[in-house]
Amino acid sequence: MVLVAANSLLEVEHLSVRFDRPGAGIHAVNDVSFDIAPGETLAVVGESGSGKSVSMLSIMGLVPSPPARVSGSIRLQGQELVGLSARRLNRLRGRDMAMVFQEPMSSLNPVHRVGDQIGESLRIHRGLARAEARRRAVALLDRVGIPSAADRAGSYPHELSGGMRQRAMIAMALACDPNLLIADEPTTALDVTVQAQIVDLIGELQDERRLAVIWVTHDLGVVAEIADRVAVMYGGRLLETGPARRIYRSSRHPYTLGLLQSIPRLDRPTATRLPEIPEAPMRMAGALRGCPFDSRCPMAAEGCADTLPELEPVEGGGHRSACLHHRKIDSAEVLFPETPAAAEPRSATADPSQVLVSVRALKVHFPATGGLARRRAGAVRALDGVDLDIERGRTLGLVGESGCGKTTLGRALVALVRPTEGAIDIKGRLINHRSGPHQRVVQMIFQDPLSAMNPGMRARDVIAEPIRLHRMAPPDAIRERVVRLMEQVGLPPESGDRYPHEFSGGQRQRIAVARALAAEPEVVVCDEPVSALDVSVQAQVVNLLADVQAATGMAIVFISHDLAVVRHISHRVAVMYMGEIVEQGDRDRLYEDPLHPYTKALLAAVPVPEPEGAGPGDRTRLAGELPSPADPPSGCRFHTRCPVAVKGLCSTTKPRLSEASPGRWVSCHLVNPPCT
Amino acid sequence: MRRRFDIRRLTQYGVVVVVAVTLNFLLPRLMPGSPLTLIAGVDVGLLSADQRAEIMARVGLDAALWKQYLRYWGDIFTGDFGYSFRSSRPIVDMIWDRLPWTLLITGLSFIVSAVVGVVLGAISAWRRGTKIDLGMLSGMISIESLPSFWLGMVLISIFAVQWRLLPSSGAVTSASDLVGWAHTWDIVRHAILPAATLSILATPGVYMTMRYSMLETLREDYIRTARAKGADERRVLFGHVARNAIAPVVTVLALRLGFAFGGTVIVETVFSYPGLGRMVFDAVSGRDYPVMQAAFLVFTAAVLAANLLADLLYPLIDPRTRTS
């Protein structure tokens, strides 16, 4: 059934992983087979609970057993790994195969120097002495693009930035020149700009060493440019596999099509709602009788629920799909149609005088911590002079890399942080502390809904809290209101008795939306509301927010690092860099014609879910990472990373945010030349 | 990289010292009745006004409160804690006599409980869920619940009374003129039972902390990274788990070291051991306030010193806590 190329480096056949638990066992991986040749890139794509990480960890022999039972066959360079003794496995790990993990901070040992951690592989496998290993580690750090590698080798992980840490992880994985690199969501925790750098780096290293790479991701966009082949996993099974071009262009599985359709893209028309896959991704469960995607599939038909579909060849070229109906699959547009966006709320019909919130010269500085004897080393300038208007019934998108101040701005709007200078007024009233009425008018939705809810409260009470707090309804009317809110956000009202942990991620975020709506707010600040969700669920929440806005006319401040999502939901967009707004304008014009070099760089870094060659030819990558916000660069704060900075001007003179065209504000000398 | 102790931390310690000393100064003065009652005892009613004034002047209680307070500080710096009501000896001398004994048994029990607790805790966590782990865990919980005087008496009845292996009281055999090794051996034999009692009681706390901390560390992503590198179990345990797991244990150990002084009161009394704890017991039962006051200061100093030690050690173990 499985066609194995003659020159395979890794062959996985009928891999299954079960977790024995008292009661029902969990079938995390079911009968998964694939192979990879030297120098090839295989992208393994799936949502949380798809079994993709467990599969990869079992290749590395890192699934704790017991409770896990791994069966099937995993052959690396012809050698069987399933059932191999720990001693023999240790000889292969780090030498012939290596792994890079998602969270570089927690994946590095905090008490050892980076150089020593990289050198450790060399000491284990090559028997090098400490000094020699350290010397080699410096060379490796240099190779993965870490500046002044010799110094950095002596640093501890917490002293490096996120991107640097991931580079160090890569250096560690490649120390002994393995033939197989497994990268498990290596860029998910990183900013788009850094993500692009890491993708490029792994690509370069791969070419240099004929490295086979298995790239595990939930995001089809990230791997589009680099994958040779794609394997799509769901519910512990392989649903579709084939050459990247075919998967992206002519997938023969409804799930893949749904994933591709629900990714917000920069080239999708904004007038439509994001197509969504209904419901939540399947959780790992016991043995399955039918297709795992059955309950969410728009073309589920008779037989799907009780026939286990096998991977069958589609047309050839190694393209295989596990769908009973793959021959009659419609195009993605038919299966997951784009529907017209909800009507613009009445109040938003572009009356520019409808300013609800205005922010003037807002500064928020935090004292720098950890100084000797509280030496006033300075302050972290989280916000350094921000001017902003939020209009009734419209959405303002706030984008920028982590550390740019977008979250602080959101918190300042909700009055969770106190401004150091400047003013925020809402409906003409100055806000400088979280007073009662303000509490109700401005609501916030957080990134991680689970940690933002009291675990001991039932969903119903979570939603009812603002109503009780602000005495918005008599006690006997609260229940009915909660039911209405739950219906409005698409939650079954009978689930109100459940506790937050009993809901899926997407449902929890719906509870958070209902809780915000309960206060009948005029502004809702959403801080990365979909970043923690699976791709297929992101679209549901984004659409929900748009619907709710159309129904209530509330203003939304949508904070995100994901420019494609922001584009989809926003009316206006503000780009932030180091505590300042560098560009602001109407959504369509800003995305079509970005003026500030930083905006351009951010847009160029957004991955496009199109296979190689189809993406924009523009490969300018933003170099480096955010400078320290405690000590911002002189002049234009972006000049240290700007590809077009003018010597003698940008490093000395600070550009002002000024109107480049009506409604379009940019702070760049090249757009608005300074008066001479 | 320069490492210097955070001055803010030192200031915090300074504040604690000042507060402790001030409380110590105020407490006897806040107690009901004249301080004369403390000094002259029940006979105070028999004294004439002149006699009272004379006593007050002699001990300096006629001066203004702030002057007394300043003098108190002066006395502390010059090591003058006054005289015991009961024995009329200088309290400083008493403390110096007794401190070595207390240091001996607390030091011994500290080392034993630290080593045993850390090692057993590590084994338990490494073999989590096995019979060894569960056995040790339930054993430690049982020990934790033992009252110290009871354990002391049990040890005495077994080792001193039943088997006559070890002495049951004192720090040295009285009226013996042992010298050299014989003398040292005599001291050790006397220290074993009280030190063992303290060690047994202190071990479960260390064990629990170590076991829990290690279980947490074993779950960390970087342990998985180490395995992915091909590190064998030995290297994972000693190179990656141990140092991370030990950090929180150091804090617990330091706190215990500080409180160990206070913990000696009961054990030293049970074993009639001539340490500070016994001194406090005698002072409390004899209402010897100046001695109690001095002992209070010594205990405070011990707790602070132990904390300071932990603060100084922590950055050596965990680089994230180093100030840059």
Side-chain angles (χ1 to χ4, degrees), chain A residues 386-666:
Chain A
V386 167
D387 292 284
L388 205 63
D389 286 332
I390 299 164
E391 292 150 23
R392 211 178 282 276
R394 317 243 304 163
T395 301
L396 173 76
L398 278 181
V399 292
E401 291 166 283
S402 54
C404 72
K406 55 191 194 298
T407 292
T408 307
L409 179 52
R411 285 171 183 245
L413 289 171
V414 193
L416 287 175
V417 293
R418 201 178 265 269
T420 311
E421 264 176 53
I424 302 174
D425 61 61
I426 295 181
K427 296 202 289 181
R429 273 192 53 168
L430 193 67
I431 295 304
N432 46 19
H433 62 100
R434 196 155 164 74
S435 62
H438 176 243
Q439 264 180 20
R440 190 185 65 73
V441 171
V442 187
Q443 291 294 316
M444 189 151 184
I445 293 171
F446 298 90
Q447 174 170 357
D448 179 7
L450 187 58
S451 63
M453 283 173 203
N454 185 337
M457 273 165 88
R458 294 174 195 277
R460 191 186 335 107
D461 297 319
V462 170
I463 299 169
E465 199 169 25
I467 306 176
R468 298 203 173 106
L469 209 62
H470 301 291
R471 301 208 175 79
M472 299 172 64
D476 49 321
I478 289 178
R479 205 178 181 100
E480 192 207 333
R481 270 211 193 193
V482 170
V483 167
R484 268 215 314 279
L485 284 163
M486 289 184 79
E487 280 165 353
Q488 189 179 0
V489 300
L491 284 171
E494 62 274 13
S495 64
D497 280 336
R498 291 196 268 150
Y499 291 96
H501 73 269
E502 297 175 277
F503 291 87
S504 70
Q507 286 175 320
R508 275 179 218 135
Q509 205 56 295
R510 286 176 195 269
I511 300 176
V513 173
R515 171 171 68 180
L517 288 180
E520 295 171 12
E522 302 197 42
V523 187
V524 173
V525 178
C526 307
D527 190 1
E528 303 269 7
V530 298
S531 308
L533 303 178
D534 278 309
V535 183
S536 70
V537 181
Q538 275 187 12
Q540 297 172 9
V541 173
V542 168
N543 288 339
L544 172 67
L545 286 169
D547 291 346
V548 161
Q549 181 173 49
T552 63
M554 69 187 187
I556 295 179
V557 177
F558 193 94
I559 301 168
S560 180
H561 69 281
D562 186 334
L563 279 91
V565 176
V566 166
R567 171 173 172 273
H568 209 86
I569 194 171
S570 306
H571 299 96
R572 282 177 71 75
V573 175
V575 182
M576 293 188 69
Y577 189 74
M578 298 204 72
E580 295 173 344
I581 289 176
V582 294
E583 180 162 7
Q584 199 195 136
D586 280 339
R587 182 256 319 264
D588 291 333
R589 281 166 55 212
L590 187 133
Y591 275 84
E592 270 157 32
D593 178 27
L595 294 177
H596 197 282
Y598 181 59
T599 316
K600 289 181 189 172
L602 279 182
L603 284 170
V606 175
V608 182
E610 285 288 336
E612 199 172 359
D618 180 11
R619 301 260 295 171
T620 42
R621 297 296 200 216
L622 194 55
E625 292 171 43
L626 220 56
S628 161
D631 183 23
S634 59
C636 172
R637 289 190 178 168
F638 187 57
H639 85 260
T640 52
R641 298 168 77 192
C642 183
V644 293
V646 179
K647 262 213 172 86
L649 171 65
C650 295
S651 58
T652 53
T653 314
K654 199 168 164 54
R656 288 167 52 94
L657 187 67
S658 40
E659 201 160 17
S661 60
R664 188 74 184 278
W665 298 76
V666 185

Side-chain angles (χ1 to χ4, degrees), chain A residues 106-107 109 112 117 120 125, chain B residues 221 225 227 229 239-240 244:
Chain A
S106 62
S107 298
N109 192 326
H112 293 302
Q117 297 194 50
E120 192 179 9
H125 297 291
Chain B
D221 287 348
T225 308
R227 295 214 162 95
K229 264 191 255 186
H240 294 275
N244 282 289

Side-chain angles (χ1 to χ4, degrees), chain A residues 57 60 62 90 93-94 101 106-112 117 120-121 124-125 156 158-159 172 372-374, chain B residues 1 4 6-8 221-222 224-225 227-232 235 239-240 243-244 317 319-320 322-324:
Chain A
L57 290 172
M60 293 291 291
L62 290 174
N90 276 337
R93 289 199 283 227
F101 301 95
S106 62
S107 298
L108 288 164
N109 192 326
V111 303
H112 293 302
Q117 297 194 50
E120 192 179 9
S121 305
I124 294 170
H125 297 291
Y156 291 96
H158 70 276
E159 295 167 328
M172 188 188 299
L372 281 173
R374 203 151 210 179
Chain B
M1 186 193 300
R4 247 198 286 159
D6 198 331
I7 293 173
R8 211 169 51 185
D221 287 348
Y222 54 79
R224 187 181 59 190
T225 308
R227 295 214 162 95
K229 264 191 255 186
D232 54 23
R235 189 180 268 276
H240 294 275
R243 193 164 145 192
N244 282 289
I317 300 170
R320 283 169 298 182
R322 286 173 204 170
T323 52
S324 52

Side-chain angles (χ1 to χ4, degrees), chain B residues 289-312:
Chain B
Y289 289 100
V291 173
M292 282 158 63
Q293 255 183 298
F296 175 69
L297 272 188
V298 173
F299 289 172
T300 309
V303 172
L304 284 176
N307 269 305
L308 187 66
L309 189 69
D311 276 344
L312 290 171

Side-chain angles (χ1 to χ4, degrees), chain A residues 128-148:
Chain A
L128 295 188
R130 190 181 284 268
E132 175 62 17
R134 194 171 287 177
R135 212 162 36 245
R136 298 274 283 276
V138 172
L140 281 160
L141 281 172
D142 190 53
R143 176 60 200 93
V144 296
I146 290 187
S148 51

